[in-house]
Amino acid sequence: MSLLATLLLAGATSASGAGVTLAQCSWDRPGANPFMGDVVAAVDRYTDIPAATRDKLKARMKNRQYEDVAVIERDAIRGKAEYEPEIRDMYFGPGSICRTVTRVKWKPATQERGLVYCEDGQCILVPTVCRNVSRIKRREAPRAVAPARASNVASSTREEVAPLEFEAPSAGPVAAPGSFAQAVLPVSDPGGVATLGGSTPRTLGPGGGPLPHFEPGPPPLPPRRVTITQGPPPIPAIPEPSTWALFGAGLLLVLYRLSKGAK
């Protein structure tokens, strides 16, 4: 405690012979003026804590069943859980209490350890260097976001895969003169109204700009010469008997004429 708090404590203790309660103290030297009373019984002075919770806290403290070993720093209290940096209702001396405790005079590198006992959201801090029973507040864990219902997921999936509805291009608005749509689409009348599917060259209307310039593409490839190779000739069909008879008769007639001429 600070020198002023110690002097006030000494005067009040000598005058009444009992501990005092201070509104605010500066915890400058953690090892000075430690708590000299019963650490477990000190919890009963925290009357705003329900009696059942105080009994559970005292049982844990009596059996040294601390929940966490926190590191006390100038601006924070660090441990397995997250705690508010404020320390309040600290015991010191024979049995005095300081409601609000500050550590503004601590160096940034100053650290002290303390045992933390928690029950029903109420946490007691007992620094190991001085046994000054105190109270701290543990921060609540962030609530988990509930998963979306299956019906919502299914409906959103249906919306994503549903086909898009739109009007046909011919039912759309007329392209404005000089616009990109008018510059690239063909028209069928000299007024500059673009008509999809037309085959006449585009003619700009009044106020229209020049035709867009397109770079020529690569020249077309020359036609390739294809050589068709014919297969073997077809096999002739076998002559009919009548054909053979006619062929034999003609051969006999030729031989008969030759024989007549030889005589």
Side-chain angles (χ1 to χ4, degrees):
M1 297 296 161
S2 64
L3 179 59
L4 178 59
T6 304
L7 293 176
L8 291 175
L9 172 64
T13 303
S14 60
S16 61
V20 297
T21 300
L22 301 178
Q24 184 173 3
C25 304
S26 179
W27 193 24
D28 302 336
R29 294 180 299 166
N33 199 13
F35 176 53
M36 305 301 295
D38 188 345
V39 175
V40 177
V43 180
D44 286 330
R45 295 266 311 261
Y46 301 143
T47 55
D48 60 313
I49 300 178
T53 303
R54 293 201 306 266
D55 291 340
K56 289 188 286 186
L57 286 170
K58 290 190 296 183
R60 290 177 66 96
M61 294 171 68
K62 183 178 180 180
N63 298 322
R64 302 278 292 180
Q65 296 176 347
Y66 50 86
E67 185 170 338
D68 197 357
V69 179
V71 177
I72 309 170
E73 300 177 352
R74 184 182 66 181
D75 301 316
I77 300 175
R78 306 184 187 278
K80 293 186 298 183
E82 294 186 4
Y83 304 97
E84 298 289 345
E86 178 188 11
I87 298 177
R88 56 192 177 92
D89 298 334
M90 174 180 281
Y91 277 84
F92 64 94
S96 301
I97 295 180
C98 186
R99 294 302 182 190
T100 304
V101 181
T102 62
R103 308 185 297 278
V104 293
K105 293 186 179 180
W106 282 29
K107 295 180 180 179
T110 302
Q111 290 183 342
E112 295 292 344
R113 295 185 180 275
L115 305 180
V116 180
Y117 303 88
C118 292
E119 284 288 350
D120 303 332
Q122 302 290 337
C123 293
I124 303 298
L125 173 67
V126 182
T128 57
V129 68
C130 55
R131 302 170 68 248
N132 288 16
V133 181
S134 309
R135 297 175 65 178
I136 59 175
K137 186 176 182 180
R138 182 171 57 187
R139 291 174 178 170
E140 296 182 359
R143 297 182 179 178
V145 179
R149 294 184 299 177
S151 58
N152 294 339
V153 176
S155 61
S156 62
T157 306
R158 288 195 299 268
E159 291 177 359
E160 292 178 359
V161 300
L164 298 178
E165 298 180 359
F166 55 91
E167 296 181 356
S170 60
V174 177
S179 63
F180 178 79
Q182 187 191 40
V184 298
L185 294 177
V187 297
S188 57
D189 64 300
V193 179
T195 302
L196 295 177
S199 59
T200 57
R202 193 196 66 81
T203 304
L204 293 178
L211 289 173
H213 176 71
F214 296 95
E215 294 292 337
L221 297 176
R224 298 177 61 184
R225 178 175 297 175
V226 181
T227 303
I228 301 176
T229 304
Q230 295 182 354
I235 300 175
I238 299 176
E240 296 291 335
S242 58
T243 304
W244 285 113
L246 183 62
F247 178 75
L251 181 61
L252 291 176
L253 180 60
V254 171
L255 292 176
Y256 176 76
R257 293 291 181 91
L258 290 176
S259 63
K260 286 292 183 179
K263 293 179 178 181

